Amino acid sequence: MAPAEPNARPFRPKGEIPHFAEERQGWKGYVEWEEYPEKKKQAQEILKKHDFPEPPEFQLVPLPNTNPILTGERWKQYHDACGLDYMYKDSWETVLKEKSEDMIHVLQFPYNGEAPSGRLIKTELTNNKDHFVRNHGGIPDIDPDKWTLDIGGLVKTPQKLTLAQLQDGSIFPRQSNIATLQCSGTRRIEQIHEYPGDGDELINAPWGEGAIATARWTGVSLKKVIKYCGGLVGNADNIEFYGADTYFKKGSVHNYTVSVPWRKVKAHEVLLAWEMNGEPLPKIHGSPVRVVVYGYIGARSVKWLYKIKAIHHPSAAPVQRKEYLYYTPQIGKQNAQYSNGFSIQDMPVSSAIITPQNMGQIIHDGKIRLSGWAYSGGGHWPVRVEVSGDGGSIWYEVPAENMSTKYFYAWRTWWIDLPVDAEGWLEMCVRCWDNAMNTQPTFVRSAWNWDLHVTSSAHRVKIYSINKSRPATAARLKQLEDNNAPIAPITRPIHFDLETDEEYLKAMESRAWRDPLE
């Protein structure tokens, strides 16, 4: 293979660049693959001819100190080879238009981005511009007036619905819920730092604590739509969703496709949403209509939805069958199979410290304010958050009044003024308990898995404690201030003598000097 980014060579076509036409007028960026096996085969043959860049190494070496952190050159060149380069170019333009200027671009294409952590928990609901994005391909631009949804498979009466029909309250009563979406890669960087794992063809992005966000989603319950189709027939146990984005997997091309069990739909926990925080869905979040599956891994909440099928077994599409698998710790490159990992659906209880940040140097007067988020999926919710200032021996409960509103399907933000007497390097950590008494593994090692999903262990940050309630520390801070010298970063040496000769002699006298008397 060719060199990986950042040393990837520019794309070099092998033969004539093909033209795969967009499927429908007003649906820019949507190429239908699943209905045309011959077109998929043509793309597969084209991909075989090219020498694409290696996936980048970002686990065994430090991450680039850039933004975007990773650019996805390999993925871009897949699109180049198939004449789809406009998809990644349009995608980046949409990112710059619809997301906050200071987003952390974890991966430029397909776009993966999270908000700066300090702003993530300022409000219960995440601003649309700050909501994380985990895409698997380009960003289709679909005219809402041209959008339709096909519902078929094992339903009594297949239907094709327009957006106007879906939004007609006389046909489908609206449903609106506050719900958290979370990528299974949230906090993956902790696993990468300690125990690297699968890099993955798409790139297992090095997410921090921001691959989670909360919004009010408005739309219609999928159960109501299935009822409008006369209900299910035969042995329909799963519902399959098709997204208009293009997805590559091991030399083949697909539309993004996954499924959820019918039992999830029956509970009115699958929404076809067209509003996000009271506004029409942004393009980058799936406009005109997306799926929102409450409590499940974000990968099941398909964006740019265009087709739904009732099926018997879970989807055979690669994202469902070959991705988002959770393996035991002894499974790895040497023995992983698609069948020996289980499919991630419900998100487990998890939490994170957002402030202070790792390696922070904190001046305080005996208390340090910690803040963060806590979440539990699968129909559970956070009831208690505990923090520790000594790595997990002594825990302090976050007061109930310091936790945000309790919702069935959403996170809770929290804060606490943690008593801290000790100085020097300390390890702070947080754990959450949900309403079913589930809590988090204590250490990252307990949560490690080959695909680096679901870092659900107690979140840990190391901070340097500077307790100004101690006289000696207060005196040193005054010295630094008088000399116009900051204490942070602590690695910067002090440019003046630490004590006078008189002070030194007096102190040594009180200590009986260095050596023993006899």
Side-chain angles (χ1 to χ4, degrees), residues 43-302:
Q44 192 171 24
E45 293 302 316
I46 291 167
L47 293 170
K48 283 181 182 178
K49 295 177 183 178
H50 289 81
D51 185 22
F52 296 110
E54 288 271 11
E57 177 55 69
F58 58 91
Q59 299 192 59
L60 299 174
V61 299
L63 279 171
N65 186 24
T66 56
N67 193 24
I69 299 172
L70 302 171
T71 58
E73 296 307 310
R74 176 184 177 88
W75 215 253
K76 290 176 183 178
Q77 291 193 22
Y78 287 169
H79 287 70
D80 287 326
C82 293
L84 304 174
D85 57 304
Y86 68 92
M87 290 187 177
Y88 66 76
K89 294 171 183 175
D90 290 350
S91 170
W92 186 238
E93 287 183 6
T94 301
V95 170
L96 297 178
K97 181 179 178 181
E98 295 191 350
K99 304 311 293 181
S100 295
E101 290 184 1
D102 57 350
M103 287 289 282
I104 300 168
H105 308 305
V106 182
L107 175 62
Q108 187 180 43
F109 186 78
Y111 185 68
N112 286 216
E114 59 184 301
S117 60
R119 196 166 65 240
L120 181 65
I121 57 167
K122 292 293 185 183
T123 54
E124 284 186 6
L125 301 187
T126 311
N127 184 290
N128 289 356
K129 284 182 172 287
D130 286 341
H131 198 289
F132 85 95
V133 178
R134 198 287 189 239
N135 287 344
H136 296 78
I139 300 172
D141 185 0
I142 302 171
D143 183 345
D145 293 332
K146 301 288 180 61
W147 179 84
T148 57
L149 175 63
D150 292 302
I151 306 114
L154 299 174
V155 296
K156 187 174 182 180
T157 309
Q159 299 283 346
K160 181 186 288 287
L161 299 174
T162 65
L163 184 58
Q165 288 174 301
L166 198 65
Q167 292 178 338
D168 187 342
S170 67
I171 304 173
F172 302 114
R174 293 194 177 190
Q175 180 173 325
S176 182
N177 296 103
I178 291 173
T180 293
L181 290 183
Q182 183 182 19
C183 176
S184 70
T186 309
R187 296 175 46 206
R188 176 177 283 135
I189 193 66
E190 296 164 50
Q191 293 196 59
I192 288 173
H193 280 163
E194 295 198 37
Y195 308 100
D198 189 12
D200 192 72
E201 180 181 18
L202 177 55
I203 304 175
N204 275 333
W207 291 104
E209 300 85 47
I212 183 172
T214 300
R216 177 172 285 281
W217 306 95
T218 300
V220 59
S221 169
L222 178 55
K223 184 179 180 182
K224 299 290 186 182
V225 176
I226 297 297
K227 182 178 180 181
Y228 182 77
C229 297
L232 303 180
V233 296
N235 53 359
D237 293 323
N238 290 271
I239 305 297
E240 190 174 46
F241 306 121
Y242 291 73
D245 42 336
T246 290
Y247 176 76
F248 291 88
K249 181 69 177 179
K250 296 192 181 296
S252 60
V253 63
H254 309 264
N255 294 108
Y256 186 86
T257 308
V258 295
S259 64
V260 299
W262 169 243
R263 65 179 180 273
K264 190 72 174 173
V265 179
K266 280 172 61 177
H268 293 289
E269 292 182 344
V270 180
L271 191 73
L272 305 186
W274 56 77
E275 275 188 12
M276 180 179 181
N277 288 329
E279 300 175 358
L281 274 178
K283 276 194 298 185
I284 201 167
H285 288 290
S287 173
V289 174
R290 69 171 296 166
V291 179
V292 179
V293 184
Y294 302 153
Y296 264 27
I297 177 178
R300 308 300 178 231
S301 292
V302 173

Side-chain angles (χ1 to χ4, degrees), residues 121 180 212 214 349-352 372-376 381-386 403-404 410-414 430-433 440:
I121 57 167
T180 293
I212 183 172
T214 300
V349 61
S350 59
S351 59
W373 56 259
Y375 175 64
S376 188
W381 56 89
V383 294
R384 179 188 299 164
V385 174
E386 297 172 331
M403 296 178 67
S404 64
W411 69 7
R412 301 181 73 181
T413 59
W414 56 267
V430 60
R431 68 184 180 190
C432 173
W433 297 81
Q440 301 170 243

Side-chain angles (χ1 to χ4, degrees), residues 387-453:
V387 298
S388 171
D390 62 359
S393 294
I394 299 172
W395 296 89
Y396 295 80
E397 181 179 0
V398 173
E401 61 269 23
N402 294 358
M403 296 178 67
S404 64
T405 311
K406 193 183 302 180
Y407 297 104
F408 278 108
Y409 307 117
W411 69 7
R412 301 181 73 181
T413 59
W414 56 267
W415 65 270
I416 185 174
D417 288 327
L418 181 69
V420 176
D421 178 62
E423 294 194 291
W425 284 109
L426 304 176
E427 188 173 66
M428 310 286 187
C429 55
V430 60
R431 68 184 180 190
C432 173
W433 297 81
D434 70 14
N435 63 304
M437 296 300 293
N438 298 307
T439 194
Q440 301 170 243
T442 304
F443 299 104
V444 170
R445 187 69 182 91
S446 304
W448 184 86
N449 60 100
W450 170 238
D451 275 354
L452 306 175
H453 290 301

Side-chain angles (χ1 to χ4, degrees), residues 469-489:
S469 68
R470 292 187 171 190
T473 298
R476 173 54 50 82
L477 290 172
K478 182 66 167 58
Q479 270 185 304
L480 290 165
E481 183 181 359
D482 291 344
N483 283 272
N484 197 28
I487 194 164

Side-chain angles (χ1 to χ4, degrees), residues 270-388:
V270 180
L271 191 73
L272 305 186
W274 56 77
E275 275 188 12
M276 180 179 181
N277 288 329
E279 300 175 358
L281 274 178
K283 276 194 298 185
I284 201 167
H285 288 290
S287 173
V289 174
R290 69 171 296 166
V291 179
V292 179
V293 184
Y294 302 153
Y296 264 27
I297 177 178
R300 308 300 178 231
S301 292
V302 173
K303 298 184 281 287
W304 311 290
L305 180 70
Y306 73 95
K307 183 164 61 176
I308 295 174
K309 284 177 67 177
I311 56 178
H312 178 36
H313 293 294
S315 175
V319 182
Q320 188 79 29
R321 181 173 288 183
K322 301 177 181 181
E323 302 279 355
Y324 298 104
L325 302 174
Y326 199 90
Y327 294 104
T328 71
Q330 293 197 51
I331 297 293
K333 193 171 185 176
Q334 73 280 4
N335 57 3
Q337 305 285 342
Y338 300 132
S339 56
N340 61 6
F342 64 78
S343 185
I344 303 169
Q345 300 280 52
D346 290 339
M347 290 303 288
V349 61
S350 59
S351 59
I353 297 169
I354 298 301
T355 61
Q357 295 186 335
N358 194 44
M359 296 294 166
Q361 294 133 66
I362 312 298
I363 301 171
H364 61 92
D365 57 1
K367 290 184 178 180
I368 296 177
R369 176 161 294 190
L370 277 62
S371 64
W373 56 259
Y375 175 64
S376 188
H380 299 126
W381 56 89
V383 294
R384 179 188 299 164
V385 174
E386 297 172 331
V387 298
S388 171

